[in-house]
Amino acid sequence: MGSLSCGIVGLPNVGKSTLFNALTAAKAEAANYPFCTIEPNVGVVAVPDERLEKLAVVVKPERILPATINFVDIAGLVRGASKGEGLGNQFLSHIREVDAVMQVARCFDDDNVIHVENRVDPVADVMTITTELCLKDLDTVQKRAERARKSAKATGKVGEFEKKAAEVCEVLGKHLDEGKPARSLSFGDDDTAIQIVREMQLLTAKPTFYVANVDEATLAAPEKNKHFQALKAFADTEGAKVVAICAAIEAQIAELDPAERPDFLASAGLTEPGLHKLARTAFDLLGLITYFTAGVQEVRAWTIHRGTLAPGAAGVIHTDFERGFIKAEVIWWEDFISLGGEARAREKGKLAIEGKEYVVRDGDVMHFRFNV
């Protein structure tokens, strides 16, 4: 599974760039992660996991490698992007490539920071963006509907499938035309409909969460911030999550020496940097879990989708591991720590031998046996 990516979108001047700069400054912490060349608009954030630290205390490895998420800064969106205004087309192609979307909205009043539409209204901001994305998707759906109508005349399975596609497009088109994202329309257990929608790769079908960029004064208790309340009420109607963050503070934290951070966080009434919350929210949203490998060379977190079977999990390390999979040796992370490592866990009968049907749990410490 390649690196997961979450696109950051927002209107100009909502604090998106400040937040992104904090993300890229944080990148230094994951410096020993094996990077490939990363575009200038990509920040890599480690997903914080205290289990990893505890495993490392037992194993004393040469290095610790956390799971990471790529945050992609997507050029500012303006009204009319769907028609190519601003960096419209480039924006939309960047969004197509990410796994999830994080919409940043301004939830602070500050006369010194101008708003592109001269108001502070986070719900209107996210609606502006959602509308642009819906319009672009509507265009995609209409083109697909046209193709379906032409092909529906074919005989047999192809004709049947295209007839169905035409129906799905009609329902979806109406939904998008009302400014509602594709992810809020359910086709229940209708696998064919779900497949038709998936194949269109719609922008508004991507899992999405919202970031309320609040001021320092309301960060400790965002529920007292009226803009945050409005955004949260809106997100609740979609079943989406909202994370409150103060981008200005995140930028300051990222600049600090790691040793100075705890005091600074405490003074701001925080227990951890907001970026950690962002990484975890994106992780949950994508249905991801972590399993670990623990050896003297490295203790490492590996990212898989919830429900992955052992051979698939092995394949994340190397395709040969999946191809020649024989079995997995599995120790629950808490047993690994309380018993002080693999040898004692084996001795105490806490090491399980699992086969191809084993569903990997979030927190398994695994060792794969394979033969290619």
Side-chain angles (χ1 to χ4, degrees):
M1 184 166 181
S3 243
L4 286 143
S5 58
C6 181
I8 310 177
V9 300
L11 292 176
N13 292 342
V14 295
K16 195 165 71 79
S17 304
T18 311
L19 190 56
F20 181 72
N21 293 342
L23 288 164
T24 42
K27 176 161 78 175
E29 283 171 39
N32 60 359
Y33 197 76
F35 289 124
C36 22
T37 39
I38 293 264
E39 305 290 318
N41 68 327
V42 179
V44 181
V45 178
V47 180
D49 194 327
E50 56 185 24
R51 297 172 300 183
L52 204 56
E53 309 298 328
K54 289 176 179 170
L55 290 169
V57 171
V58 173
V59 182
K60 302 183 178 55
E62 287 165 28
R63 59 180 188 165
I64 303 174
L65 289 178
T68 61
I69 287 190
N70 290 350
F71 281 93
V72 184
D73 186 24
I74 296 174
L77 179 70
V78 291
R79 253 183 223 283
S82 53
K83 304 183 192 64
E85 292 289 326
L87 294 161
N89 295 333
Q90 185 189 342
F91 169 89
L92 296 160
S93 71
H94 275 155
I95 248 188
R96 214 174 281 290
E97 289 158 18
V98 297
D99 301 300
V101 175
M102 168 173 122
Q103 279 207 37
V104 184
R106 174 176 166 177
C107 293
F108 62 90
D109 294 299
D110 182 346
D111 297 338
N112 299 320
V113 182
I114 55 169
H115 184 285
V116 67
E117 303 200 346
N118 289 324
R119 55 168 165 63
V120 176
D121 184 343
V123 175
D125 288 359
V126 299
M127 291 294 287
T128 298
I129 290 181
T130 303
T131 302
E132 290 303 325
L133 300 180
C134 285
L135 287 168
K136 189 66 184 175
D137 281 348
L138 191 56
D139 189 39
T140 306
V141 170
Q142 284 165 344
K143 283 180 182 147
R144 178 68 183 91
E146 228 163 274
R147 213 173 75 226
R149 281 193 293 271
K150 283 178 189 157
S151 314
K153 300 182 182 83
T155 50
K157 277 188 175 163
V158 174
E160 288 300 307
F161 185 80
E162 292 299 318
K163 255 193 214 95
K164 174 80 176 178
E167 288 165 20
V168 168
C169 287
E170 189 177 341
V171 174
L172 192 53
K174 277 191 182 128
H175 187 79
L176 289 163
D177 198 35
E178 290 167 6
K180 294 175 187 163
R183 62 180 178 277
S184 65
L185 177 64
S186 167
F187 283 98
D189 302 334
D190 188 337
D191 291 342
T192 313
I194 292 166
Q195 181 194 342
I196 291 162
V197 176
R198 191 179 294 138
E199 283 171 1
M200 285 189 268
Q201 288 189 301
L202 300 173
L203 305 172
T204 63
K206 291 187 184 289
T208 297
F209 71 101
Y210 299 100
V211 172
N213 183 15
V214 300
D215 51 16
E216 195 172 338
T218 54
L219 182 58
E223 56 287 348
K224 292 181 181 153
N225 174 320
K226 63 175 187 203
H227 301 306
F228 175 83
Q229 284 170 354
L231 184 60
K232 173 109 175 57
F234 169 78
D236 286 348
T237 64
E238 283 188 4
K241 285 188 172 162
V242 182
V243 179
I245 262 193
C246 173
I249 285 188
E250 292 302 316
Q252 286 171 288
I253 296 169
E255 296 297 324
L256 288 175
D257 192 75
E260 296 168 1
R261 284 178 194 170
D263 289 347
F264 181 83
L265 286 166
S267 72
L270 296 173
T271 49
E272 62 173 358
L275 299 186
H276 288 185
K277 231 184 300 179
L278 292 188
R280 272 204 297 269
T281 304
F283 217 67
D284 291 346
L285 189 63
L286 290 165
L288 302 174
I289 60 168
T290 303
Y291 77 86
F292 306 101
T293 50
V296 179
Q297 278 184 315
E298 64 177 33
V299 166
R300 182 166 183 168
W302 299 90
T303 304
I304 53 171
H305 282 282
R306 195 176 293 287
T308 299
L309 299 179
V316 176
I317 300 178
H318 198 288
T319 46
D320 284 354
F321 282 29
E322 182 168 11
R323 224 171 25 148
F325 179 89
I326 300 171
K327 61 184 180 185
E329 297 178 354
V330 183
I331 304 170
W332 180 239
W333 73 275
E334 287 174 322
D335 293 336
F336 191 99
I337 291 159
S338 65
L339 294 167
E342 186 182 328
R344 289 272 295 153
R346 191 184 291 269
E347 215 175 282
K348 294 282 183 193
K350 292 292 187 185
L351 182 148
I353 304 293
E354 302 289 356
K356 291 182 174 173
E357 297 304 308
Y358 179 69
V359 178
V360 179
R361 296 170 298 178
D362 183 23
D364 277 341
V365 179
M366 305 188 79
H367 179 77
F368 298 104
R369 301 231 174 254
F370 70 103
N371 184 7
V372 177

